């Protein structure tokens, strides 16, 4: 069995989650700070769109933007002499776009649930908005933000449609685990496809179960502290 799809998937997921985590956090902070209800609704809809669109549609838009004869593609080729389509970086781009809404919405929900009184207290003490975000909002919203990161990572690991559109299915280069499963099924090799399925299911289960166990341990710890305080 060729293990290159495993390493490509892990490499793609790790790089994409680093980008998605900070991008989603920044977007969530920006949308929460918007005062206009209508503007916030439109921004939220735009940023959430990749979550509700079929991945192939998102892949079509990426291909339309970054294709060799499209604006972004022409710019990259002329300035950096680099063609992103059908490259490993294209697989990262697809994973970022598809997993971004999960990170953004989780981070936004966590930020919005932070006690407003703590924020007002920080302002009363003369703290800047940036300091308030890093010292008050981020620590309070950390569980929700980390959960969003885990979900975004697993979503990037399982990305198929957009990756196939912009990165292709090149063995040893852009063939991730989902693409490898599709290729083996199409070739009639159900045994190899089943092994790939077991690998990706095991990865996903370990990640999600680890997140849940961590949450339960934290609840037990805080619960114990509350009992001692009482």
């Amino acid at each position: 069995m060729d293990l290159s799809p495993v390493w490509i998937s892990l490499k793609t997921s790790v790089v994409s989650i680093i980008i998605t985590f900070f991008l989603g956090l920044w977007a969530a902070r920006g949308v929460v700070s918007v005062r206009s209800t209508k503007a916030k609704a439109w921004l939220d809809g735009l940023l959430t769109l990749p979550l509700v669109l079929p991945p192939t549609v998102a892949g079509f838009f990426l291909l339309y933007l970054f294709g060799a004869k499209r604006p972004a593609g022409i710019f990259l080729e002329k300035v950096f002499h680099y063609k992103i389509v059908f490259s490993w970086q294209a697989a990262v781009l697809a994973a970022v776009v598809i997993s971004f809404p999960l990170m953004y919405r989780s981070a936004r929900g966590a930020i919005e649930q932070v006690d407003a009184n703590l924020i007002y207290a920080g302002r009363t003490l003369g703290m800047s908005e940036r300091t308030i975000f890093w010292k008050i909002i981020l620590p309070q919203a950390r569980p929700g933000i980390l959960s969003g990161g885990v979900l975004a990572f697993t979503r990037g690991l399982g990305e198929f449609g957009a990756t196939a559109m912009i990165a292709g299915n090149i063995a040893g280069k852009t063939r991730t685990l989902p693409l490898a499963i599709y290729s083996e099924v199409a070739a009639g090799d159900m045994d190899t496809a089943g092994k790939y399925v077991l690998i990706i299911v095991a990865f996903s289960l370990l990640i999600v179960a680890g997140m849940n166990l961590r949450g339960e341990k934290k609840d037990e710890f805080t619960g114990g502290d509350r009992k001692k305080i009482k």
Side-chain angles (χ1 to χ4, degrees):
M1 184 179 68
D2 181 16
L3 291 177
S4 65
V6 179
W7 308 126
I8 292 171
S9 288
L10 288 175
K11 183 171 64 171
T12 300
S13 300
V14 169
V15 174
S16 67
I17 190 54
I18 293 171
I19 299 170
T20 303
F21 184 86
F22 291 103
L23 194 62
L25 190 59
W26 174 78
R29 181 189 177 190
V31 171
V32 169
S33 65
V34 173
R35 299 298 181 93
S36 172
T37 304
K38 289 184 178 179
K40 184 180 288 188
W42 280 103
L43 280 171
D44 183 77
L46 182 64
L47 295 174
T48 308
L49 200 57
L51 184 65
V52 296
L53 286 175
T56 49
V57 175
F60 172 83
F61 282 119
L62 290 176
L63 192 60
Y64 188 84
L65 289 172
F66 291 95
K69 296 182 180 180
R70 298 299 176 182
I74 293 171
F75 172 79
L76 289 173
E77 194 162 358
K78 284 187 175 180
V79 177
F80 299 102
H81 306 288
Y82 180 74
K83 186 179 178 182
I84 192 170
V85 176
F86 302 124
S87 67
W88 172 74
Q89 288 77 8
V92 173
L93 178 62
V96 168
V97 170
I98 297 300
S99 62
F100 168 82
L102 288 172
M103 182 64 218
Y104 156 71
R105 292 198 67 85
S106 297
R108 181 187 169 185
I111 290 171
E112 288 179 334
Q113 289 177 4
V114 174
D115 188 353
N117 291 323
L118 296 174
I119 298 173
Y120 295 145
R123 289 172 180 163
T124 302
L125 293 171
M127 298 172 68
S128 66
E129 292 299 317
R130 178 177 294 182
T131 303
I132 289 172
F133 178 77
W134 288 104
K135 297 290 186 179
I136 297 176
I137 296 176
L138 201 59
Q140 293 293 317
R142 184 173 56 187
I145 291 171
L146 292 178
S147 297
V150 171
L151 292 174
F153 178 83
T154 53
R155 182 65 188 87
L157 185 66
E159 164 49 30
F160 173 80
T163 304
M165 291 288 288
I166 192 171
N169 187 8
I170 306 170
K173 187 178 181 182
T174 65
R175 181 173 291 176
T176 58
L177 276 170
L179 289 168
I181 293 167
Y182 173 81
S183 299
E184 296 302 335
V185 171
D189 190 350
M190 299 300 289
D191 291 337
T192 304
K195 291 176 183 178
Y196 285 137
V197 167
L198 287 175
I199 291 172
I200 197 168
V201 168
F203 274 134
S204 301
L205 184 60
L206 284 172
I207 293 167
V208 176
M211 178 183 70
N212 292 336
L213 288 172
R214 183 180 179 278
E216 287 179 4
K217 286 181 179 179
K218 185 174 181 180
D219 289 341
E220 289 176 3
F221 178 78
T222 55
D225 285 350
R226 291 193 190 102
K227 289 178 182 178
K228 287 180 182 178
I229 292 171
K230 288 179 180 180

